[in-house]
Amino acid sequence: MRRRSLLSTALTTVLVAAAMAIPAAAAPLAGCSGTNDGDVAIGDNTTVESPLTISGCASAPSAASAVPVKIAHTYIGDLAVTLVAPDGSTYPLHNHTGGSADNIDQTYTVDLSGETANGTWKLRVTDNAANDVGRIDTWSLNLAPANDFSVAVSPASGSVAPGSSASTTVQTQTTSGQPQTVQLSASGLPSGATASFSPASVTTGANSALTISTSASTPAGTYPVTIQAAGATTKTATYTLTVTSGGGVQIPDIDVTAVKQHLTQFNAIATQNGGNRRSTTAGYRASVAYVKDKLTAAGFTVSEQACTSGCTTGAGPNVIAEWPGGNADNVYMFGAHLDSVSAGPGINDNGSGSAALLETALVLSRTNPTMLNKVRFGWWTDEEQGLNGSRFYVSRLTSAERSKIKTYHNFDMIASVNGGYFINNINSAQSAHMKAYWDSLSLSPEENTEGRNRSDDASFTNAGIPASGYAMGASATKTSAQAAKWGGTAGSAFDPCYHRACDTTNNISDTHLNAAVDGIAYTLWKSAVSGSPSADFSVSVSPASGSVAAGSAVSATVQTRTVSGEPQTVQLSASGLPSGATASFSPASVTTGGSSTLTISTTASVASGTYPITITATGSGSRTATFSLTVTGVGCSGTNPNDVAIPDAGAAVDSDIVISGCTATPSASSTVAVNIRHTYIGDLTVALIAPDGTSYSLHNRSGGSADNINQTYTVNLSGEAANGTWKLRVRDLEQADVGTIDTWTLNLTP
C-alpha cells in the first residue's frame, strides 16, 4: 500500500490577524448565474473575498448548484476556500488539501437548496501559511445547472437458466434542473437474449421494469449488460446477467501452503538483495524473474512492460500475463503490486497479494477449465512511490482496450496479522462475487475506507474502469466493534509491521490469507469460467433505512432472490441492535425468492442515534444486508453513542442525531458535547451541520499534539429549525494519526 508523502518541514501555526480584503461588489447579475473575473490578490496569512451579486433569479437554488473556481497559487495546501451565501451560511469547497500542487481549477457541486437565490454571494479564500501567494483569477456561480439525471438498476445482477427470463428495476433520478423524458435501451446481451422495458421511456424520477429473456440456445456465462437512458445526455448502468447451464463447475480451493511457499521465496529474495524488494533494486528484478518464470512454465502469455514515464528512475517493469481462451472483448483483470518499501521485504505489503495471484494463476493453468471470458493478471512496479506502474499501464491502453476491461480486482495487504475483512466499493456490481464469497463465510466485510485511492485500483477507477479488491488493513487502528466481530486486538494497528523491517513471513495471518485467496479464485471462476455456478442467493432490505421515536416501532421488507442454482430455505436474523431494541421477522424463514416483514421495536430507554443493523439470511451460506435505524430523542436533545472511525488524512466523516417533536426554537446558547479520541487534535476540524446544511465550526486544528477532544461547545442556533438531521462532521487533514468519534450530544434548549 502506498505511503502518502509527508511535509518536508514541520510548520508551527501562527495565528495572524489579517485584514479582510473585499473588492467592491459587482453590479447585480440578472438570472440565476454569474461570474466575477476580477483578480483578487491572496497574500500570505490573509483572508480575501470576491463578491458576486445575483438578482432576478425566480427559482430556488439547486441541490446540485455549480461553483467553478480558478485560483492561481503556488501551494494550494495553504488554502481554505469557502462559498458564503447571502445569509452568511458557509459551504467549504477546499480545505488545505493538495499539498505543494499549483493552482485550483475545479468545479464544485454544492447543495444550496436551502438558500435564497438573490443577494450577494462571496468566494472567501484564506491563506494559512507563509512563503506562497496567489490570486483569485475568476469564479462563477450557477444556481440552476443544466438538466441532468442518473440511472441505476436494482438488483444489479441476476441469474437465469437458458430459455427463462430475469427481471430488475431501472431507476432514474433528476440530479439537477428539471425532469426530462429519457428513452431506455440495453446492449451487451448474449446471443439469443432480448430485453424489454415497461415503460420504454420514463420521466426522470420514475422507474421502469426491465425483463431480459433468454432462449434455450443462449450460451452459459456472465454478461455485463449496459442499460442506457438517453435524454439531453446519455447515462448508463450495468446489470450483470448470469446464464447457467447443466453440469456445473467445481471452483477450486487454493492451497494456502502453496501461497506461503511463494512468500518464502519473496522473503529469501529480499534477504539476498539488501533486505527489500523496492522497485529500483535487484530484489525487485529478482521478484519479477520469479513470477515470470512460474507463469511462462504454466502456459501463460507473459510480458514485461517497462515503465518509461512517471516511474521512479531505475524502476523495474510491470509483469502482465494472459491465459488463453475466453471472449477477448470481456476482460477480467486481477492485479497486485510486486514492489516493497525500502524499509523491509514487504511480505504482507504486498507479497501477500502477489503470491495469492500467482498461485491462483497456476491453479487456473493446472485445472484448464473452459473459458467464457478473458483473464489477465498484472503485477505492478513502483506502487509504493505513487501507484506509478499501474498508472503507466492504464495510460497506455487505448479507449477500446479500456472498454474491454469489465472489472479490475486489486489485492493489497491480504494477510494482516490483526486484520479485518475489507472490500473496495463493497456495494458495487463489480464486488458482488467477492462479497458473496466472504458472506458465505459469515465474515461481515466492510468498505475499505483506509485504502481508498491508496492502491492500484485507483489507477483503473480514475480511468473509468470498474474496480474492486480485498484488503485486511494497514496502519489504521482496529475498533472495539471490529475486534468483537472479527477477533484480534482493539486499539492496535491491523498490520503492526506496516512499512517496517519486521514485515517478513512472520507477519502473515494464514486465516486471512486463506479467506482472500479462495475469494480470488471464487471471483475469477464466477466471472470468466464457463459452466453452472453452485446454488447462491442474495438478500436486500427495502427501505434501507428508517426513523423511529424511542418507544415506537419501524418496519421494512426483507427480500431474498435466487442468484444461481435452485431456490433454498434461509433463516433470518438481525444483529447490531441498540440496547432496548428487538427485531422480529414474519416469517422467520423463507424460500429464496420470497420476502419477510422485519419489525424493529424500541423502548423509551433506547438512546437516540443512528445504528447500522445487519440482516443475515443463512442457508447454504450466509448473506447480509444493512438497515440503518435512526432513533430520535423525545424533545429537543439527543445523543449518538456510536463509534465512527476518522480516517487518516481522508474524507470528512459524519455522525447523525435526528431531532423530532421539538416544539421550541433552538437557543442562542445551544450546547454540543463532543467526545473524540485522537492522538493529534491539531489535525482535526470539527463542525456542527444543521438540517439545512449550515455549518458551525467547533474546532479548527487547534491543540497541536494534544490527545482527544472532550469539550462542550456553546453555539447560537436561534436561526435554525429544530427538527431534522443534525450532523457532527469531523475531518483529519494530516497523516500519521487516526481516531474515532466516540459520542456526542446536542441540546437545543439547555
Side-chain angles (χ1 to χ4, degrees), residues 98-124:
S100 62
D102 293 343
N103 307 330
I104 295 174
D105 187 354
Q106 185 171 343
T107 297
Y108 301 91
T109 300
V110 188
D111 183 355
L112 300 177
S113 57
E115 296 293 340
T116 300
N118 298 311
T120 299
W121 298 76
K122 299 173 184 177
L123 189 74
R124 179 177 295 163

PDB file of all heavy atoms in Angstrom, residues 98-124:
ATOM      1  N   GLY A  98      -4.118  19.016  -1.231  1.00  0.00           N
ATOM      2  CA  GLY A  98      -3.335  19.248  -2.439  1.00  0.00           C
ATOM      3  C   GLY A  98      -1.865  19.499  -2.225  1.00  0.00           C
ATOM      4  O   GLY A  98      -1.092  19.530  -3.184  1.00  0.00           O
ATOM      5  N   GLY A  99      -1.453  19.697  -0.947  1.00  0.00           N
ATOM      6  CA  GLY A  99      -0.026  19.856  -0.667  1.00  0.00           C
ATOM      7  C   GLY A  99       0.608  20.960  -1.484  1.00  0.00           C
ATOM      8  O   GLY A  99       0.110  22.077  -1.577  1.00  0.00           O
ATOM      9  N   SER A 100       1.726  20.642  -2.128  1.00  0.00           N
ATOM     10  CA  SER A 100       2.513  21.638  -2.860  1.00  0.00           C
ATOM     11  C   SER A 100       2.056  21.837  -4.293  1.00  0.00           C
ATOM     12  O   SER A 100       2.732  22.507  -5.071  1.00  0.00           O
ATOM     13  CB  SER A 100       3.990  21.226  -2.837  1.00  0.00           C
ATOM     14  OG  SER A 100       4.153  19.979  -3.489  1.00  0.00           O
ATOM     15  N   ALA A 101       0.932  21.255  -4.674  1.00  0.00           N
ATOM     16  CA  ALA A 101       0.450  21.425  -6.044  1.00  0.00           C
ATOM     17  C   ALA A 101       0.137  22.899  -6.321  1.00  0.00           C
ATOM     18  O   ALA A 101      -0.203  23.668  -5.428  1.00  0.00           O
ATOM     19  CB  ALA A 101      -0.791  20.569  -6.276  1.00  0.00           C
ATOM     20  N   ASP A 102       0.243  23.279  -7.605  1.00  0.00           N
ATOM     21  CA  ASP A 102      -0.068  24.637  -8.033  1.00  0.00           C
ATOM     22  C   ASP A 102      -1.522  24.739  -8.471  1.00  0.00           C
ATOM     23  O   ASP A 102      -2.060  23.830  -9.118  1.00  0.00           O
ATOM     24  CB  ASP A 102       0.805  25.047  -9.225  1.00  0.00           C
ATOM     25  CG  ASP A 102       2.274  25.178  -8.859  1.00  0.00           C
ATOM     26  OD1 ASP A 102       2.577  25.269  -7.665  1.00  0.00           O
ATOM     27  OD2 ASP A 102       3.108  25.183  -9.789  1.00  0.00           O
ATOM     28  N   ASN A 103      -2.169  25.840  -8.109  1.00  0.00           N
ATOM     29  CA  ASN A 103      -3.416  26.282  -8.723  1.00  0.00           C
ATOM     30  C   ASN A 103      -4.609  25.379  -8.429  1.00  0.00           C
ATOM     31  O   ASN A 103      -4.478  24.172  -8.282  1.00  0.00           O
ATOM     32  CB  ASN A 103      -3.265  26.427 -10.242  1.00  0.00           C
ATOM     33  CG  ASN A 103      -2.085  27.314 -10.621  1.00  0.00           C
ATOM     34  OD1 ASN A 103      -1.726  28.220  -9.873  1.00  0.00           O
ATOM     35  ND2 ASN A 103      -1.483  27.049 -11.768  1.00  0.00           N
ATOM     36  N   ILE A 104      -5.764  26.015  -8.337  1.00  0.00           N
ATOM     37  CA  ILE A 104      -7.055  25.328  -8.245  1.00  0.00           C
ATOM     38  C   ILE A 104      -7.839  25.684  -9.498  1.00  0.00           C
ATOM     39  O   ILE A 104      -8.055  26.866  -9.792  1.00  0.00           O
ATOM     40  CB  ILE A 104      -7.834  25.754  -6.990  1.00  0.00           C
ATOM     41  CG1 ILE A 104      -7.089  25.319  -5.717  1.00  0.00           C
ATOM     42  CG2 ILE A 104      -9.239  25.177  -7.002  1.00  0.00           C
ATOM     43  CD1 ILE A 104      -7.726  25.833  -4.436  1.00  0.00           C
ATOM     44  N   ASP A 105      -8.252  24.685 -10.239  1.00  0.00           N
ATOM     45  CA  ASP A 105      -9.083  24.866 -11.429  1.00  0.00           C
ATOM     46  C   ASP A 105     -10.121  23.761 -11.392  1.00  0.00           C
ATOM     47  O   ASP A 105      -9.918  22.683 -11.948  1.00  0.00           O
ATOM     48  CB  ASP A 105      -8.234  24.811 -12.706  1.00  0.00           C
ATOM     49  CG  ASP A 105      -9.042  25.169 -13.958  1.00  0.00           C
ATOM     50  OD1 ASP A 105     -10.275  25.352 -13.828  1.00  0.00           O
ATOM     51  OD2 ASP A 105      -8.451  25.260 -15.047  1.00  0.00           O
ATOM     52  N   GLN A 106     -11.230  24.001 -10.696  1.00  0.00           N
ATOM     53  CA  GLN A 106     -12.167  22.927 -10.389  1.00  0.00           C
ATOM     54  C   GLN A 106     -13.584  23.472 -10.265  1.00  0.00           C
ATOM     55  O   GLN A 106     -13.801  24.600  -9.852  1.00  0.00           O
ATOM     56  CB  GLN A 106     -11.762  22.246  -9.076  1.00  0.00           C
ATOM     57  CG  GLN A 106     -12.592  21.029  -8.704  1.00  0.00           C
ATOM     58  CD  GLN A 106     -12.004  20.293  -7.521  1.00  0.00           C
ATOM     59  OE1 GLN A 106     -10.849  20.479  -7.176  1.00  0.00           O
ATOM     60  NE2 GLN A 106     -12.803  19.449  -6.894  1.00  0.00           N
ATOM     61  N   THR A 107     -14.543  22.637 -10.655  1.00  0.00           N
ATOM     62  CA  THR A 107     -15.950  22.971 -10.471  1.00  0.00           C
ATOM     63  C   THR A 107     -16.493  22.146  -9.313  1.00  0.00           C
ATOM     64  O   THR A 107     -16.415  20.915  -9.327  1.00  0.00           O
ATOM     65  CB  THR A 107     -16.762  22.698 -11.739  1.00  0.00           C
ATOM     66  OG1 THR A 107     -16.291  23.546 -12.797  1.00  0.00           O
ATOM     67  CG2 THR A 107     -18.248  22.978 -11.497  1.00  0.00           C
ATOM     68  N   TYR A 108     -17.012  22.814  -8.289  1.00  0.00           N
ATOM     69  CA  TYR A 108     -17.554  22.157  -7.112  1.00  0.00           C
ATOM     70  C   TYR A 108     -19.082  22.101  -7.219  1.00  0.00           C
ATOM     71  O   TYR A 108     -19.724  23.044  -7.698  1.00  0.00           O
ATOM     72  CB  TYR A 108     -17.162  22.923  -5.842  1.00  0.00           C
ATOM     73  CG  TYR A 108     -15.679  23.056  -5.644  1.00  0.00           C
ATOM     74  CD1 TYR A 108     -14.989  24.159  -6.141  1.00  0.00           C
ATOM     75  CD2 TYR A 108     -14.951  22.078  -4.972  1.00  0.00           C
ATOM     76  CE1 TYR A 108     -13.615  24.290  -5.971  1.00  0.00           C
ATOM     77  CE2 TYR A 108     -13.583  22.198  -4.791  1.00  0.00           C
ATOM     78  CZ  TYR A 108     -12.921  23.310  -5.297  1.00  0.00           C
ATOM     79  OH  TYR A 108     -11.568  23.435  -5.122  1.00  0.00           O
ATOM     80  N   THR A 109     -19.652  21.008  -6.779  1.00  0.00           N
ATOM     81  CA  THR A 109     -21.104  20.864  -6.722  1.00  0.00           C
ATOM     82  C   THR A 109     -21.554  21.019  -5.275  1.00  0.00           C
ATOM     83  O   THR A 109     -21.039  20.340  -4.385  1.00  0.00           O
ATOM     84  CB  THR A 109     -21.539  19.494  -7.273  1.00  0.00           C
ATOM     85  OG1 THR A 109     -21.100  19.380  -8.634  1.00  0.00           O
ATOM     86  CG2 THR A 109     -23.045  19.340  -7.217  1.00  0.00           C
ATOM     87  N   VAL A 110     -22.515  21.918  -5.038  1.00  0.00           N
ATOM     88  CA  VAL A 110     -22.913  22.278  -3.675  1.00  0.00           C
ATOM     89  C   VAL A 110     -24.439  22.237  -3.571  1.00  0.00           C
ATOM     90  O   VAL A 110     -25.148  22.696  -4.473  1.00  0.00           O
ATOM     91  CB  VAL A 110     -22.406  23.694  -3.304  1.00  0.00           C
ATOM     92  CG1 VAL A 110     -22.660  23.982  -1.831  1.00  0.00           C
ATOM     93  CG2 VAL A 110     -20.933  23.842  -3.629  1.00  0.00           C
ATOM     94  N   ASP A 111     -24.923  21.677  -2.492  1.00  0.00           N
ATOM     95  CA  ASP A 111     -26.366  21.669  -2.227  1.00  0.00           C
ATOM     96  C   ASP A 111     -26.761  23.002  -1.602  1.00  0.00           C
ATOM     97  O   ASP A 111     -26.535  23.256  -0.424  1.00  0.00           O
ATOM     98  CB  ASP A 111     -26.728  20.514  -1.290  1.00  0.00           C
ATOM     99  CG  ASP A 111     -28.231  20.416  -1.035  1.00  0.00           C
ATOM    100  OD1 ASP A 111     -28.967  21.295  -1.497  1.00  0.00           O
ATOM    101  OD2 ASP A 111     -28.643  19.450  -0.355  1.00  0.00           O
ATOM    102  N   LEU A 112     -27.350  23.874  -2.420  1.00  0.00           N
ATOM    103  CA  LEU A 112     -27.783  25.189  -1.956  1.00  0.00           C
ATOM    104  C   LEU A 112     -29.299  25.295  -1.912  1.00  0.00           C
ATOM    105  O   LEU A 112     -29.862  26.397  -1.911  1.00  0.00           O
ATOM    106  CB  LEU A 112     -27.202  26.284  -2.872  1.00  0.00           C
ATOM    107  CG  LEU A 112     -25.673  26.355  -2.949  1.00  0.00           C
ATOM    108  CD1 LEU A 112     -25.237  27.430  -3.933  1.00  0.00           C
ATOM    109  CD2 LEU A 112     -25.067  26.617  -1.569  1.00  0.00           C
ATOM    110  N   SER A 113     -29.972  24.142  -1.888  1.00  0.00           N
ATOM    111  CA  SER A 113     -31.434  24.138  -1.966  1.00  0.00           C
ATOM    112  C   SER A 113     -32.087  24.829  -0.772  1.00  0.00           C
ATOM    113  O   SER A 113     -33.252  25.211  -0.842  1.00  0.00           O
ATOM    114  CB  SER A 113     -31.947  22.698  -2.081  1.00  0.00           C
ATOM    115  OG  SER A 113     -31.487  21.905  -0.993  1.00  0.00           O
ATOM    116  N   GLY A 114     -31.375  24.978   0.321  1.00  0.00           N
ATOM    117  CA  GLY A 114     -31.937  25.650   1.490  1.00  0.00           C
ATOM    118  C   GLY A 114     -31.700  27.152   1.510  1.00  0.00           C
ATOM    119  O   GLY A 114     -32.082  27.824   2.465  1.00  0.00           O
ATOM    120  N   GLU A 115     -31.064  27.696   0.454  1.00  0.00           N
ATOM    121  CA  GLU A 115     -30.713  29.107   0.423  1.00  0.00           C
ATOM    122  C   GLU A 115     -31.689  29.918  -0.438  1.00  0.00           C
ATOM    123  O   GLU A 115     -32.414  29.375  -1.272  1.00  0.00           O
ATOM    124  CB  GLU A 115     -29.290  29.278  -0.127  1.00  0.00           C
ATOM    125  CG  GLU A 115     -28.208  28.659   0.726  1.00  0.00           C
ATOM    126  CD  GLU A 115     -28.031  29.345   2.072  1.00  0.00           C
ATOM    127  OE1 GLU A 115     -28.465  30.509   2.204  1.00  0.00           O
ATOM    128  OE2 GLU A 115     -27.472  28.713   2.985  1.00  0.00           O
ATOM    129  N   THR A 116     -31.652  31.236  -0.246  1.00  0.00           N
ATOM    130  CA  THR A 116     -32.340  32.170  -1.130  1.00  0.00           C
ATOM    131  C   THR A 116     -31.387  32.561  -2.243  1.00  0.00           C
ATOM    132  O   THR A 116     -30.205  32.838  -1.995  1.00  0.00           O
ATOM    133  CB  THR A 116     -32.782  33.420  -0.350  1.00  0.00           C
ATOM    134  OG1 THR A 116     -33.663  33.011   0.705  1.00  0.00           O
ATOM    135  CG2 THR A 116     -33.489  34.408  -1.256  1.00  0.00           C
ATOM    136  N   ALA A 117     -31.897  32.599  -3.495  1.00  0.00           N
ATOM    137  CA  ALA A 117     -31.002  32.804  -4.633  1.00  0.00           C
ATOM    138  C   ALA A 117     -30.428  34.217  -4.683  1.00  0.00           C
ATOM    139  O   ALA A 117     -29.227  34.416  -4.885  1.00  0.00           O
ATOM    140  CB  ALA A 117     -31.740  32.489  -5.932  1.00  0.00           C
ATOM    141  N   ASN A 118     -31.288  35.228  -4.512  1.00  0.00           N
ATOM    142  CA  ASN A 118     -30.882  36.604  -4.775  1.00  0.00           C
ATOM    143  C   ASN A 118     -30.139  37.217  -3.592  1.00  0.00           C
ATOM    144  O   ASN A 118     -30.494  37.011  -2.433  1.00  0.00           O
ATOM    145  CB  ASN A 118     -32.108  37.447  -5.121  1.00  0.00           C
ATOM    146  CG  ASN A 118     -32.790  36.954  -6.393  1.00  0.00           C
ATOM    147  OD1 ASN A 118     -32.129  36.744  -7.401  1.00  0.00           O
ATOM    148  ND2 ASN A 118     -34.100  36.753  -6.331  1.00  0.00           N
ATOM    149  N   GLY A 119     -29.108  37.980  -3.927  1.00  0.00           N
ATOM    150  CA  GLY A 119     -28.287  38.615  -2.912  1.00  0.00           C
ATOM    151  C   GLY A 119     -26.818  38.506  -3.282  1.00  0.00           C
ATOM    152  O   GLY A 119     -26.456  38.056  -4.380  1.00  0.00           O
ATOM    153  N   THR A 120     -25.949  38.903  -2.364  1.00  0.00           N
ATOM    154  CA  THR A 120     -24.510  38.898  -2.626  1.00  0.00           C
ATOM    155  C   THR A 120     -23.881  37.623  -2.082  1.00  0.00           C
ATOM    156  O   THR A 120     -23.926  37.358  -0.878  1.00  0.00           O
ATOM    157  CB  THR A 120     -23.825  40.122  -2.007  1.00  0.00           C
ATOM    158  OG1 THR A 120     -24.373  41.310  -2.585  1.00  0.00           O
ATOM    159  CG2 THR A 120     -22.320  40.090  -2.270  1.00  0.00           C
ATOM    160  N   TRP A 121     -23.329  36.850  -2.994  1.00  0.00           N
ATOM    161  CA  TRP A 121     -22.570  35.641  -2.656  1.00  0.00           C
ATOM    162  C   TRP A 121     -21.088  36.001  -2.676  1.00  0.00           C
ATOM    163  O   TRP A 121     -20.658  36.880  -3.441  1.00  0.00           O
ATOM    164  CB  TRP A 121     -22.856  34.532  -3.667  1.00  0.00           C
ATOM    165  CG  TRP A 121     -24.287  34.093  -3.720  1.00  0.00           C
ATOM    166  CD1 TRP A 121     -25.333  34.750  -4.304  1.00  0.00           C
ATOM    167  CD2 TRP A 121     -24.835  32.896  -3.160  1.00  0.00           C
ATOM    168  NE1 TRP A 121     -26.491  34.049  -4.146  1.00  0.00           N
ATOM    169  CE2 TRP A 121     -26.228  32.904  -3.455  1.00  0.00           C
ATOM    170  CE3 TRP A 121     -24.300  31.828  -2.457  1.00  0.00           C
ATOM    171  CZ2 TRP A 121     -27.067  31.882  -3.054  1.00  0.00           C
ATOM    172  CZ3 TRP A 121     -25.134  30.806  -2.060  1.00  0.00           C
ATOM    173  CH2 TRP A 121     -26.507  30.828  -2.347  1.00  0.00           C
ATOM    174  N   LYS A 122     -20.290  35.307  -1.868  1.00  0.00           N
ATOM    175  CA  LYS A 122     -18.864  35.619  -1.789  1.00  0.00           C
ATOM    176  C   LYS A 122     -18.033  34.343  -1.882  1.00  0.00           C
ATOM    177  O   LYS A 122     -18.412  33.306  -1.320  1.00  0.00           O
ATOM    178  CB  LYS A 122     -18.539  36.326  -0.468  1.00  0.00           C
ATOM    179  CG  LYS A 122     -19.254  37.655  -0.278  1.00  0.00           C
ATOM    180  CD  LYS A 122     -19.014  38.223   1.118  1.00  0.00           C
ATOM    181  CE  LYS A 122     -19.810  39.502   1.335  1.00  0.00           C
ATOM    182  NZ  LYS A 122     -19.636  40.029   2.713  1.00  0.00           N
ATOM    183  N   LEU A 123     -16.930  34.422  -2.594  1.00  0.00           N
ATOM    184  CA  LEU A 123     -15.909  33.380  -2.537  1.00  0.00           C
ATOM    185  C   LEU A 123     -14.844  33.865  -1.562  1.00  0.00           C
ATOM    186  O   LEU A 123     -14.180  34.879  -1.800  1.00  0.00           O
ATOM    187  CB  LEU A 123     -15.291  33.117  -3.910  1.00  0.00           C
ATOM    188  CG  LEU A 123     -14.369  31.894  -3.957  1.00  0.00           C
ATOM    189  CD1 LEU A 123     -15.221  30.617  -3.932  1.00  0.00           C
ATOM    190  CD2 LEU A 123     -13.482  31.911  -5.190  1.00  0.00           C
ATOM    191  N   ARG A 124     -14.710  33.161  -0.441  1.00  0.00           N
ATOM    192  CA  ARG A 124     -13.771  33.556   0.610  1.00  0.00           C
ATOM    193  C   ARG A 124     -12.562  32.629   0.564  1.00  0.00           C
ATOM    194  O   ARG A 124     -12.709  31.402   0.605  1.00  0.00           O
ATOM    195  CB  ARG A 124     -14.432  33.480   1.978  1.00  0.00           C
ATOM    196  CG  ARG A 124     -13.514  33.845   3.148  1.00  0.00           C
ATOM    197  CD  ARG A 124     -14.291  33.798   4.460  1.00  0.00           C
ATOM    198  NE  ARG A 124     -15.330  34.825   4.491  1.00  0.00           N
ATOM    199  CZ  ARG A 124     -16.360  34.826   5.344  1.00  0.00           C
ATOM    200  NH1 ARG A 124     -16.475  33.838   6.230  1.00  0.00           N
ATOM    201  NH2 ARG A 124     -17.270  35.783   5.303  1.00  0.00           N
TER     202      ARG A 124
END
